[in-house]
Amino acid sequence: MEIKMNYRIAVIASFLAFLLMPGWMSAQSHVVSGVVRDAQTQEPVIGAAVLVKGTMNGVITMEDGTYSLSGVNSTDILVCQIVGYQTMEKPVGQNARIDFSLEQDTELLEQSVVVGYGTLKKKQLVGAVESLSGESLENKTAPSLNRMLQGQISGLNIYMNDGKPSHSGSIYIRGGSQQYYSRKSATSSSGVSHSIGNGTGALVLIDGVEGSLNMVNPDDIENISVLKDAASAAVYGSRGAFGVILVTTKNPTKDKISVNYQAAYSINQRTVLWEDEIDYDAYNWAVAFEQFWDGDGRTPTAAGKWHTDVNNVDVGLTPEYLEELRVRKEQGYPDQVVVDPVTGNYRYYGSTNWMELFYKRLNSSQTHNISVNAAGNRVKYSLSGRFYNQDAIYKVGNEVFNTFNIRSKGSIDINDYVSVDNNTAFFHDRYDQPFFAYNMPFLRNMEHRGSPIFVPTNPDGTHTFWGENTGYWRFKEGDDFDNRKSINFQTTFGLTVTPIKDILSIRADYTYQARRYEWDRVRTPSQYSPAPGVMNDLFVAEKDSYHSRNRNQTDYQAANVVATYTPRLGENHDLNVVVGWNLTDSKYTNYYMQRKGILWDSYPSFELMDGTEYAEPNDYLTSTGLVGFFGRVNYTFLKRYILEAAARYDGSSKFPVSQQWGFFPSASIGWRINEEPWMRWASSWLDNLKLRANVGALGNSDISAYYFLEKISLSKSSVLFDGKKFIYTQQANVVPDGLTWETVTTYDVGLDFDILKSRLSFSGDYYIRNTENMITNGPTIPAIYGAASPRGNYGSMQTKGWELTLSWKDQFTVAGKPFGYSIKGSL
């Protein structure tokens, strides 16, 4: 459950105007009535909204299309609107009767949809493409765009590992990846990554540049298009083998300078408070613990025996202890820590709710957005920024998460044929969190050590075994931490030449992107006191404490040259041709080091460590490049027969010279049945009925940069030779001769229809995706897939599925006022 308090200037102003409106309207005596009809059929239009422009004073037409509106001034303008028709305005003047004749709105089918390297009208689409307007994301607060998109588009799957605000999740189109992750054991947080081939997530392009959804300000978004099949993604070649997400940001459209500020404050609560189902009464817990062991028949030696230990720690849990705990419960658990007169150790009679010590019930987040934009005859510019902050989920420990976005866009029309533009974006995020370094996940260790009979602190202020082992003191003191931050800077310079206006356009652009990432982790020594005056090391002795640091950076460059040709061939022909060239180059460097033996917990400097054990500094660089030539032809004949062909010829530096290039074609057909002459009988209610089918192949080169090379690894011995550990090499890996492109072939058939002036829309697809020449990731195929074999091309995989989307758009009235609404469901 999420409780939101959203303060927006525009909303507040509208609300106040609504409250004040009845008094203002009472002074008006003019009444206007009339009828609203369909301009083509002359049939009455039911449910159309007629209102005074700029106000909420309005009514809805009756069954016969009539309306009557009071409180109208002669200087007002009446607006008539309804889904599926073009909006019409008429001045009132001295008229007591105003009729409206509405033209059908074909904008839904005529509107442009962003596809690969350009746009197509919705009626021209024959691929599996779904578009989402930026308006659908308004008034929502979330750490990132990824979370906002969950459930918004059919076939777009966004998997979140947990609720941490820094996690952007894995993004897949039409099913999951061909990779999966498994744990090594039930008690270990580390795991194993497996791969059946190298299928990865969707390609995300932000204004044509590869990026991450969590780096985009949701308020900057104009449109999001998801290209699901090989035919629609063909022009992206190897980069789009598993679908493409195209994010288009807003361009300035105002004729004068405008400034907009929005702020939102949210209070968040988990939907399931599972800690409420846990009994933290110490006596109840101890009784249940012993009853379980007494009746446990899984181990013959365990059943019927009294257990004095709790999870392998002997705490003297005897019948006498249980009786003492019962008495103390009746007294309200006084003196929860005492010294055992026999052993001299502390004995605990606490009743601690460990989850309440760690977690908040509620946390908050806030968002601030500001934008400035303007547009003149030849110059356009916009500047926008967003700050997002989310409060900690822990009561103890230092947890900070915030992000900052800024984007500037500008263009200059040098003349009627040439324009230049720039799009620059900056993103920064920071996530500081408490760290608990043990050999089990945090909640798993809480289950082991968070028994209510124990307390975190001894009477003398020292830490208990359980206070350390649950991570409570690691969090509270804040000396152990995991801090991460990243910076992403991106700028694109573009040049557009239009030799023939609205017919031929050529665009060239260059992008430079710099990504910087820093990660510091510190694990300090941990001690506890089992008895007065006694201190013991726990799982982190001083020699095992450490400070690790990871720094990596990526420098990415991309260049594109794209020509678009849309000749005017007459009413019965519609042609769209796109050809282009694409080049990308990426360099990645990483440096990692670790040293052990922290001497000063509050200042874990590498210089203030005495440990001789350290991780060998890891410093490496990888460089990859991709070049591609692509083209797409879309042709519509008689407004109803659609043919499309696309292809891309790609070369990747990740393959041997003899196998670097791959050719990947696609073909599509579509039939707009509603445009057939024999379907004119349904024109009054059927706006669109289209059958489509396509087949296409794409290559996948998502393997490590130097996978095709026979690499010799270096290792350090674990034994001493002449007082030193010596360096030795291992046998080079075997590279198969057949290492080449993994090929993804998709077959797709679909049906689209829009009826009732596009109020009700449906889109359905059935697809089959075959992946061949799958490249294994690792020295062997996982045993569950048969006998181990050398890595290289291996086997194939098939995915099938349905996608169905149904939406309804209409309007209704509240207290006589018109309100629009939209309902959408996907499967």
Coordinates of all heavy atoms in Angstrom, one line a residue, residues 715-794:
S715 N 47.9 -17.0 -12.0 CA 47.5 -17.3 -10.6 C 48.7 -17.2 -9.7 O 49.8 -17.4 -10.1 CB 46.8 -18.6 -10.5 OG 45.7 -18.7 -11.3
K716 N 48.4 -17.0 -8.4 CA 49.5 -17.0 -7.4 C 49.3 -18.3 -6.5 O 48.2 -18.6 -6.1 CB 49.4 -15.8 -6.5 CG 50.4 -15.7 -5.4 CD 50.3 -14.4 -4.6 CE 50.8 -13.2 -5.4 NZ 50.9 -12.0 -4.5
S717 N 50.5 -18.9 -6.2 CA 50.5 -20.1 -5.5 C 50.1 -19.9 -4.0 O 50.2 -18.8 -3.5 CB 51.9 -20.7 -5.5 OG 52.8 -19.9 -4.8
S718 N 49.6 -20.9 -3.4 CA 49.2 -20.8 -2.0 C 50.4 -21.3 -1.1 O 50.2 -21.2 0.2 CB 48.0 -21.7 -1.7 OG 48.2 -23.0 -2.1
V719 N 51.5 -21.7 -1.6 CA 52.6 -22.1 -0.8 C 53.8 -21.2 -1.1 O 53.8 -20.5 -2.1 CB 53.0 -23.6 -1.2 CG1 51.9 -24.5 -0.8 CG2 53.3 -23.7 -2.6
L720 N 54.8 -21.2 -0.2 CA 55.9 -20.3 -0.3 C 57.1 -21.1 -1.0 O 57.3 -22.3 -0.9 CB 56.4 -19.8 1.0 CG 55.4 -19.0 1.8 CD1 56.0 -18.6 3.2 CD2 55.0 -17.7 1.1
F721 N 57.8 -20.3 -1.9 CA 59.0 -20.8 -2.5 C 60.1 -19.8 -2.4 O 59.9 -18.7 -2.9 CB 58.7 -21.1 -4.0 CG 59.9 -21.7 -4.7 CD1 60.2 -23.1 -4.5 CD2 60.7 -21.0 -5.5 CE1 61.3 -23.6 -5.2 CE2 61.8 -21.5 -6.2 CZ 62.1 -22.9 -6.0
D722 N 61.1 -20.1 -1.6 CA 62.2 -19.1 -1.3 C 61.5 -17.9 -0.6 O 61.9 -16.7 -0.8 CB 62.9 -18.6 -2.6 CG 63.9 -19.7 -3.1 OD1 64.2 -20.6 -2.3 OD2 64.2 -19.6 -4.3
G723 N 60.6 -18.2 0.3 CA 60.0 -17.1 1.1 C 58.9 -16.3 0.4 O 58.4 -15.4 0.9
K724 N 58.6 -16.7 -0.9 CA 57.6 -15.9 -1.6 C 56.6 -16.8 -2.3 O 56.9 -18.0 -2.6 CB 58.3 -15.0 -2.7 CG 59.2 -14.0 -2.1 CD 59.9 -13.2 -3.3 CE 60.8 -12.1 -2.7 NZ 61.5 -11.4 -3.8
K725 N 55.4 -16.3 -2.5 CA 54.4 -17.0 -3.3 C 54.7 -16.7 -4.8 O 54.9 -15.6 -5.2 CB 53.0 -16.5 -3.0 CG 52.6 -16.8 -1.6 CD 51.1 -16.3 -1.3 CE 50.7 -16.7 0.1 NZ 49.3 -16.2 0.4
F726 N 54.8 -17.8 -5.6 CA 55.2 -17.6 -7.0 C 54.0 -17.5 -7.9 O 52.9 -18.0 -7.6 CB 56.2 -18.8 -7.4 CG 55.5 -20.1 -7.3 CD1 54.8 -20.7 -8.4 CD2 55.7 -20.9 -6.1 CE1 54.3 -21.9 -8.3 CE2 55.1 -22.1 -6.0 CZ 54.4 -22.6 -7.1
I727 N 54.2 -16.9 -9.1 CA 53.2 -16.7 -10.1 C 53.3 -17.9 -11.1 O 54.4 -18.2 -11.5 CB 53.3 -15.4 -10.8 CG1 53.3 -14.2 -9.8 CG2 52.2 -15.2 -11.8 CD1 52.0 -14.1 -9.1
Y728 N 52.2 -18.4 -11.5 CA 52.2 -19.5 -12.5 C 51.0 -19.3 -13.5 O 50.1 -18.6 -13.2 CB 52.1 -20.9 -11.8 CG 50.8 -21.1 -11.1 CD1 49.7 -21.8 -11.8 CD2 50.6 -20.7 -9.8 CE1 48.6 -22.0 -11.1 CE2 49.4 -21.0 -9.1 CZ 48.4 -21.6 -9.8 OH 47.2 -21.9 -9.1
T729 N 51.2 -19.9 -14.6 CA 50.1 -19.8 -15.7 C 49.4 -21.1 -15.8 O 49.8 -22.1 -15.4 CB 50.8 -19.5 -17.0 OG1 51.6 -20.5 -17.4 CG2 51.5 -18.1 -17.0
Q730 N 48.1 -21.0 -16.3 CA 47.3 -22.1 -16.5 C 47.1 -22.4 -18.0 O 47.4 -21.5 -18.8 CB 46.0 -21.9 -15.8 CG 46.0 -21.9 -14.3 CD 44.7 -21.6 -13.7 OE1 43.9 -20.9 -14.2 NE2 44.5 -22.2 -12.5
Q731 N 46.7 -23.5 -18.3 CA 46.5 -23.9 -19.7 C 45.5 -23.0 -20.4 O 44.4 -22.6 -19.8 CB 46.0 -25.3 -19.8 CG 45.8 -25.8 -21.3 CD 45.4 -27.3 -21.3 OE1 45.3 -27.9 -20.3 NE2 45.1 -27.8 -22.5
A732 N 45.7 -22.5 -21.6 CA 44.8 -21.7 -22.3 C 43.5 -22.3 -22.6 O 43.4 -23.6 -22.8 CB 45.5 -21.2 -23.6
N733 N 42.4 -21.5 -22.6 CA 41.1 -22.1 -22.9 C 41.0 -22.5 -24.4 O 41.7 -21.9 -25.2 CB 40.0 -21.1 -22.6 CG 40.2 -19.8 -23.3 OD1 41.1 -19.0 -23.1 ND2 39.3 -19.5 -24.3
V734 N 40.1 -23.4 -24.6 CA 39.9 -23.9 -26.0 C 38.8 -23.1 -26.7 O 37.7 -22.9 -26.1 CB 39.6 -25.4 -26.0 CG1 39.3 -25.8 -27.5 CG2 40.7 -26.2 -25.4
V735 N 39.1 -22.5 -27.8 CA 38.1 -21.7 -28.6 C 37.6 -22.5 -29.8 O 38.5 -23.0 -30.6 CB 38.7 -20.4 -29.1 CG1 37.7 -19.6 -29.9 CG2 39.2 -19.6 -27.9
P736 N 36.3 -22.8 -29.9 CA 35.8 -23.6 -31.0 C 35.9 -22.8 -32.4 O 35.9 -21.6 -32.4 CB 34.4 -23.8 -30.7 CG 34.0 -22.7 -29.8 CD 35.3 -22.4 -29.0
D737 N 36.1 -23.5 -33.4 CA 36.1 -22.9 -34.8 C 34.8 -22.3 -35.2 O 34.8 -21.4 -36.0 CB 36.6 -24.0 -35.8 CG 38.0 -24.5 -35.6 OD1 38.8 -23.7 -35.0 OD2 38.3 -25.6 -36.0
G738 N 33.7 -22.8 -34.7 CA 32.4 -22.3 -35.1 C 31.8 -21.2 -34.3 O 30.6 -20.9 -34.4
L739 N 32.7 -20.4 -33.6 CA 32.2 -19.3 -32.8 C 31.7 -18.2 -33.7 O 32.4 -17.6 -34.4 CB 33.3 -18.8 -31.9 CG 32.9 -17.7 -30.9 CD1 31.9 -18.1 -30.0 CD2 34.2 -17.1 -30.2
T740 N 30.4 -18.0 -33.7 CA 29.8 -17.0 -34.6 C 28.5 -16.4 -34.0 O 28.2 -16.7 -32.8 CB 29.5 -17.5 -36.0 OG1 29.1 -16.5 -36.8 CG2 28.5 -18.6 -36.0
W741 N 27.7 -15.8 -34.8 CA 26.5 -15.1 -34.3 C 25.4 -16.1 -33.8 O 25.2 -17.1 -34.4 CB 25.9 -14.3 -35.4 CG 26.7 -13.1 -35.9 CD1 27.7 -13.2 -36.8 CD2 26.6 -11.8 -35.5 NE1 28.3 -12.0 -37.0 CE2 27.6 -11.1 -36.2 CE3 25.8 -11.1 -34.6 CZ2 27.8 -9.7 -36.0 CZ3 26.0 -9.7 -34.4 CH2 27.0 -9.1 -35.2
E742 N 24.9 -15.7 -32.6 CA 23.7 -16.4 -32.2 C 22.5 -15.8 -32.9 O 22.4 -14.6 -33.0 CB 23.5 -16.2 -30.7 CG 22.4 -16.9 -30.0 CD 22.4 -16.7 -28.5 OE1 23.3 -17.3 -27.9 OE2 21.5 -16.0 -28.0
T743 N 21.6 -16.6 -33.5 CA 20.6 -16.1 -34.4 C 19.2 -16.3 -33.7 O 18.9 -17.3 -33.3 CB 20.6 -16.8 -35.7 OG1 21.9 -16.6 -36.3 CG2 19.5 -16.2 -36.6
V744 N 18.4 -15.2 -33.7 CA 17.1 -15.2 -33.1 C 16.1 -14.9 -34.2 O 16.1 -13.8 -34.8 CB 16.9 -14.1 -32.0 CG1 15.5 -14.1 -31.4 CG2 18.0 -14.3 -30.9
T745 N 15.3 -15.9 -34.5 CA 14.2 -15.8 -35.5 C 12.9 -15.7 -34.9 O 12.5 -16.6 -34.1 CB 14.3 -16.9 -36.5 OG1 15.7 -17.0 -37.1 CG2 13.3 -16.8 -37.7
T746 N 12.1 -14.7 -35.3 CA 10.7 -14.6 -34.7 C 9.7 -14.6 -35.8 O 9.8 -14.0 -36.8 CB 10.6 -13.2 -34.0 OG1 11.6 -13.1 -33.0 CG2 9.3 -13.0 -33.3
Y747 N 8.6 -15.4 -35.5 CA 7.4 -15.4 -36.4 C 6.3 -14.8 -35.5 O 6.1 -15.2 -34.4 CB 7.1 -16.9 -36.7 CG 8.2 -17.6 -37.4 CD1 9.2 -18.3 -36.7 CD2 8.3 -17.6 -38.8 CE1 10.2 -19.0 -37.3 CE2 9.3 -18.3 -39.5 CZ 10.3 -19.0 -38.7 OH 11.3 -19.7 -39.3
D748 N 5.5 -13.9 -36.2 CA 4.5 -13.2 -35.4 C 3.3 -13.0 -36.3 O 3.4 -12.6 -37.5 CB 5.0 -11.8 -35.0 CG 4.1 -11.1 -34.0 OD1 3.0 -10.6 -34.5 OD2 4.4 -11.0 -32.8
V749 N 2.1 -13.3 -35.8 CA 0.8 -12.9 -36.4 C 0.0 -12.1 -35.4 O 0.0 -12.4 -34.2 CB 0.0 -14.2 -36.9 CG1 0.8 -14.9 -38.0 CG2 -0.2 -15.1 -35.7
G750 N -0.7 -11.1 -36.0 CA -1.4 -10.2 -35.0 C -2.7 -9.7 -35.6 O -2.9 -9.7 -36.9
L751 N -3.6 -9.2 -34.7 CA -4.9 -8.7 -35.1 C -5.1 -7.4 -34.3 O -4.9 -7.4 -33.1 CB -6.0 -9.7 -34.8 CG -7.4 -9.1 -35.0 CD1 -7.8 -8.8 -36.4 CD2 -8.5 -10.1 -34.4
D752 N -5.5 -6.3 -35.0 CA -5.8 -5.0 -34.3 C -7.2 -4.6 -34.7 O -7.5 -4.7 -35.9 CB -4.8 -3.9 -34.7 CG -3.3 -4.3 -34.4 OD1 -3.1 -4.9 -33.3 OD2 -2.4 -4.0 -35.2
F753 N -7.9 -4.1 -33.8 CA -9.2 -3.4 -34.2 C -9.5 -2.3 -33.2 O -9.2 -2.4 -32.0 CB -10.3 -4.4 -34.3 CG -10.9 -5.0 -33.1 CD1 -11.6 -4.2 -32.2 CD2 -10.7 -6.3 -32.7 CE1 -12.2 -4.8 -31.0 CE2 -11.2 -6.9 -31.6 CZ -11.9 -6.1 -30.7
D754 N -10.2 -1.3 -33.8 CA -10.7 -0.1 -33.0 C -12.1 0.1 -33.4 O -12.4 0.2 -34.6 CB -9.8 1.1 -33.3 CG -8.4 0.9 -33.0 OD1 -8.0 1.1 -31.8 OD2 -7.6 0.5 -33.9
I755 N -13.0 0.2 -32.5 CA -14.4 0.4 -32.8 C -15.0 1.5 -31.9 O -14.4 2.0 -31.0 CB -15.2 -0.9 -32.6 CG1 -15.2 -1.4 -31.1 CG2 -14.7 -2.0 -33.5 CD1 -16.0 -2.6 -30.8
L756 N -16.2 1.9 -32.3 CA -17.0 2.9 -31.5 C -16.1 4.2 -31.4 O -15.9 4.7 -30.3 CB -17.4 2.4 -30.1 CG -18.2 1.1 -30.1 CD1 -18.4 0.6 -28.7 CD2 -19.5 1.3 -30.9
K757 N -15.7 4.7 -32.5 CA -14.9 5.9 -32.6 C -13.6 5.8 -31.7 O -13.2 6.7 -31.0 CB -15.7 7.1 -32.1 CG -17.0 7.3 -32.9 CD -16.7 7.6 -34.4 CE -18.0 7.8 -35.2 NZ -18.9 6.6 -35.3
S758 N -13.1 4.6 -31.8 CA -11.8 4.3 -31.1 C -11.9 4.3 -29.6 O -10.9 4.3 -28.9 CB -10.7 5.2 -31.6 OG -10.4 5.1 -33.0
R759 N -13.1 4.2 -29.1 CA -13.3 4.0 -27.7 C -12.7 2.7 -27.2 O -12.0 2.6 -26.2 CB -14.7 4.1 -27.3 CG -15.3 5.5 -27.3 CD -16.7 5.5 -26.6 NE -17.4 6.8 -26.6 CZ -18.2 7.2 -27.5 NH1 -18.4 6.5 -28.6 NH2 -18.7 8.4 -27.4
L760 N -13.1 1.6 -27.9 CA -12.7 0.3 -27.6 C -11.6 -0.2 -28.6 O -11.8 -0.1 -29.8 CB -13.8 -0.7 -27.6 CG -13.5 -2.2 -27.3 CD1 -13.0 -2.3 -25.9 CD2 -14.7 -3.0 -27.5
S761 N -10.4 -0.5 -28.1 CA -9.3 -1.0 -28.9 C -8.8 -2.3 -28.4 O -8.8 -2.6 -27.2 CB -8.2 0.1 -28.9 OG -8.6 1.3 -29.3
F762 N -8.4 -3.1 -29.4 CA -7.8 -4.4 -29.1 C -6.6 -4.7 -29.9 O -6.6 -4.3 -31.1 CB -8.9 -5.5 -29.3 CG -8.3 -6.9 -29.3 CD1 -8.2 -7.6 -28.0 CD2 -7.9 -7.6 -30.4 CE1 -7.7 -8.8 -28.0 CE2 -7.4 -8.9 -30.3 CZ -7.3 -9.5 -29.1
S763 N -5.6 -5.4 -29.4 CA -4.5 -5.8 -30.1 C -4.0 -7.2 -29.6 O -3.9 -7.3 -28.4 CB -3.3 -4.8 -29.9 OG -2.2 -5.2 -30.6
G764 N -3.9 -8.1 -30.5 CA -3.5 -9.5 -30.1 C -2.4 -10.0 -31.0 O -2.4 -9.8 -32.2
D765 N -1.4 -10.7 -30.4 CA -0.3 -11.3 -31.1 C -0.1 -12.7 -30.6 O -0.2 -13.0 -29.4 CB 0.9 -10.5 -30.9 CG 1.0 -9.2 -31.7 OD1 0.4 -8.2 -31.2 OD2 1.5 -9.2 -32.8
Y766 N 0.3 -13.6 -31.6 CA 0.8 -14.9 -31.2 C 2.2 -15.0 -31.9 O 2.4 -14.7 -33.1 CB 0.0 -16.0 -31.8 CG 0.5 -17.4 -31.5 CD1 0.6 -18.0 -30.3 CD2 1.1 -18.1 -32.6 CE1 1.1 -19.2 -30.0 CE2 1.7 -19.4 -32.4 CZ 1.7 -19.9 -31.1 OH 2.3 -21.2 -30.9
Y767 N 3.2 -15.4 -31.1 CA 4.6 -15.4 -31.7 C 5.3 -16.7 -31.3 O 5.0 -17.4 -30.3 CB 5.4 -14.2 -31.1 CG 5.6 -14.2 -29.6 CD1 6.7 -14.8 -29.1 CD2 4.7 -13.6 -28.8 CE1 6.9 -14.9 -27.7 CE2 4.9 -13.7 -27.4 CZ 6.0 -14.3 -26.9 OH 6.2 -14.3 -25.5
I768 N 6.3 -17.0 -32.1 CA 7.2 -18.1 -31.9 C 8.6 -17.5 -32.1 O 8.9 -16.9 -33.1 CB 7.0 -19.2 -32.9 CG1 5.6 -19.8 -32.7 CG2 8.1 -20.3 -32.7 CD1 5.3 -20.9 -33.8
R769 N 9.5 -17.7 -31.1 CA 10.9 -17.2 -31.2 C 11.8 -18.3 -31.1 O 11.9 -19.0 -30.1 CB 11.1 -16.1 -30.1 CG 12.5 -15.5 -30.2 CD 12.6 -14.3 -29.2 NE 12.6 -14.8 -27.8 CZ 12.4 -13.9 -26.8 NH1 12.2 -12.6 -27.1 NH2 12.3 -14.4 -25.6
N770 N 12.6 -18.5 -32.1 CA 13.6 -19.6 -32.2 C 15.0 -19.0 -32.0 O 15.4 -18.0 -32.8 CB 13.5 -20.4 -33.5 CG 12.2 -21.2 -33.6 OD1 11.7 -21.6 -32.6 ND2 11.7 -21.3 -34.8
T771 N 15.8 -19.5 -31.1 CA 17.2 -19.1 -30.9 C 18.1 -20.2 -31.2 O 18.0 -21.3 -30.7 CB 17.4 -18.6 -29.5 OG1 16.4 -17.6 -29.1 CG2 18.8 -18.0 -29.3
E772 N 19.0 -20.0 -32.2 CA 19.9 -21.0 -32.7 C 21.4 -20.6 -32.5 O 21.7 -19.4 -32.4 CB 19.6 -21.4 -34.1 CG 18.2 -21.9 -34.3 CD 17.8 -22.1 -35.8 OE1 18.4 -21.4 -36.6 OE2 17.0 -22.9 -36.1
N773 N 22.3 -21.5 -32.7 CA 23.7 -21.3 -32.5 C 24.0 -20.6 -31.2 O 24.8 -19.7 -31.1 CB 24.3 -20.4 -33.7 CG 24.2 -21.1 -35.0 OD1 24.3 -22.4 -35.1 ND2 23.9 -20.4 -36.0
M774 N 23.4 -21.1 -30.1 CA 23.5 -20.5 -28.8 C 24.9 -20.7 -28.2 O 25.4 -21.8 -28.2 CB 22.5 -21.1 -27.9 CG 21.0 -20.7 -28.3 SD 19.8 -21.7 -27.5 CE 20.0 -21.2 -25.8
I775 N 25.5 -19.6 -27.8 CA 26.9 -19.6 -27.3 C 26.8 -19.8 -25.8 O 26.2 -19.0 -25.1 CB 27.6 -18.3 -27.6 CG1 27.5 -18.1 -29.1 CG2 29.0 -18.4 -27.2 CD1 27.9 -16.7 -29.5
T776 N 27.5 -20.9 -25.3 CA 27.4 -21.1 -23.8 C 28.4 -20.1 -23.1 O 29.4 -19.7 -23.7 CB 27.9 -22.5 -23.5 OG1 29.2 -22.7 -23.9 CG2 27.0 -23.5 -24.2
N777 N 28.0 -19.8 -21.9 CA 28.7 -18.8 -21.1 C 29.5 -19.6 -20.0 O 28.9 -19.8 -18.9 CB 27.8 -17.8 -20.5 CG 28.5 -16.8 -19.7 OD1 29.7 -16.6 -19.9 ND2 27.8 -16.0 -18.9
G778 N 30.7 -20.0 -20.2 CA 31.5 -20.7 -19.2 C 32.2 -21.9 -19.9 O 32.0 -22.2 -21.0
P779 N 33.0 -22.6 -19.1 CA 33.8 -23.7 -19.7 C 33.0 -24.9 -20.2 O 33.4 -25.6 -21.0 CB 34.8 -24.0 -18.6 CG 34.1 -23.6 -17.4 CD 33.3 -22.4 -17.7
T780 N 31.8 -25.1 -19.5 CA 31.0 -26.3 -19.9 C 29.5 -25.9 -19.9 O 29.1 -25.0 -19.3 CB 31.3 -27.4 -18.9 OG1 30.9 -27.0 -17.6 CG2 32.7 -27.9 -18.9
I781 N 28.8 -26.8 -20.5 CA 27.3 -26.7 -20.4 C 26.9 -27.2 -19.0 O 27.4 -28.2 -18.6 CB 26.7 -27.6 -21.5 CG1 27.2 -27.2 -22.9 CG2 25.2 -27.5 -21.4 CD1 26.7 -25.8 -23.3
P782 N 25.9 -26.5 -18.4 CA 25.5 -27.1 -17.1 C 25.0 -28.5 -17.2 O 24.4 -28.9 -18.2 CB 24.3 -26.1 -16.7 CG 24.6 -24.9 -17.5 CD 25.3 -25.3 -18.7
A783 N 25.3 -29.3 -16.2 CA 25.1 -30.8 -16.3 C 23.6 -31.1 -16.5 O 23.3 -32.1 -17.1 CB 25.6 -31.4 -15.0
I784 N 22.7 -30.2 -16.1 CA 21.3 -30.5 -16.3 C 20.9 -30.6 -17.7 O 19.8 -31.1 -18.0 CB 20.4 -29.5 -15.5 CG1 20.6 -28.1 -16.0 CG2 20.6 -29.6 -14.0 CD1 19.7 -27.1 -15.4
Y785 N 21.7 -30.1 -18.6 CA 21.4 -30.1 -20.0 C 22.2 -31.2 -20.8 O 22.3 -31.2 -22.0 CB 21.7 -28.7 -20.6 CG 20.8 -27.7 -20.1 CD1 21.3 -26.8 -19.1 CD2 19.5 -27.6 -20.4 CE1 20.5 -25.8 -18.5 CE2 18.7 -26.6 -19.9 CZ 19.2 -25.7 -18.9 OH 18.4 -24.8 -18.4
G786 N 22.7 -32.1 -20.0 CA 23.4 -33.3 -20.7 C 24.8 -33.2 -20.3 O 25.3 -32.5 -19.4
A787 N 25.6 -34.1 -21.0 CA 27.0 -34.2 -20.7 C 27.7 -32.9 -20.9 O 27.4 -32.1 -21.8 CB 27.6 -35.3 -21.6
A788 N 28.8 -32.6 -20.1 CA 29.5 -31.4 -20.3 C 30.3 -31.4 -21.6 O 30.7 -32.5 -22.1 CB 30.5 -31.3 -19.1
S789 N 30.4 -30.2 -22.2 CA 31.1 -30.1 -23.5 C 31.8 -28.8 -23.5 O 31.5 -27.9 -22.8 CB 30.1 -30.2 -24.7 OG 29.2 -29.1 -24.6
P790 N 32.8 -28.6 -24.4 CA 33.5 -27.4 -24.5 C 32.6 -26.3 -24.9 O 31.6 -26.5 -25.6 CB 34.6 -27.6 -25.6 CG 34.7 -29.1 -25.7 CD 33.3 -29.7 -25.3
R791 N 32.9 -25.1 -24.4 CA 32.1 -23.9 -24.7 C 32.1 -23.6 -26.2 O 33.1 -23.9 -26.9 CB 32.5 -22.7 -23.9 CG 33.9 -22.2 -24.2 CD 34.1 -21.0 -23.3 NE 35.5 -20.6 -23.4 CZ 36.0 -19.6 -22.7 NH1 35.3 -18.9 -21.8 NH2 37.3 -19.3 -22.8
G792 N 31.1 -23.0 -26.7 CA 31.0 -22.7 -28.1 C 29.5 -22.8 -28.5 O 28.6 -22.7 -27.7
N793 N 29.3 -22.8 -29.8 CA 27.9 -22.9 -30.3 C 27.2 -24.2 -29.8 O 27.8 -25.2 -29.9 CB 27.8 -22.8 -31.8 CG 28.4 -21.5 -32.3 OD1 28.5 -20.6 -31.5 ND2 28.7 -21.4 -33.6
Y794 N 26.0 -24.0 -29.3 CA 25.4 -25.2 -28.7 C 23.9 -25.1 -28.7 O 23.3 -24.2 -28.1 CB 25.8 -25.4 -27.2 CG 25.3 -26.6 -26.5 CD1 25.8 -27.8 -26.7 CD2 24.1 -26.5 -25.8 CE1 25.3 -28.9 -26.1 CE2 23.6 -27.6 -25.1 CZ 24.1 -28.8 -25.3 OH 23.6 -29.9 -24.7

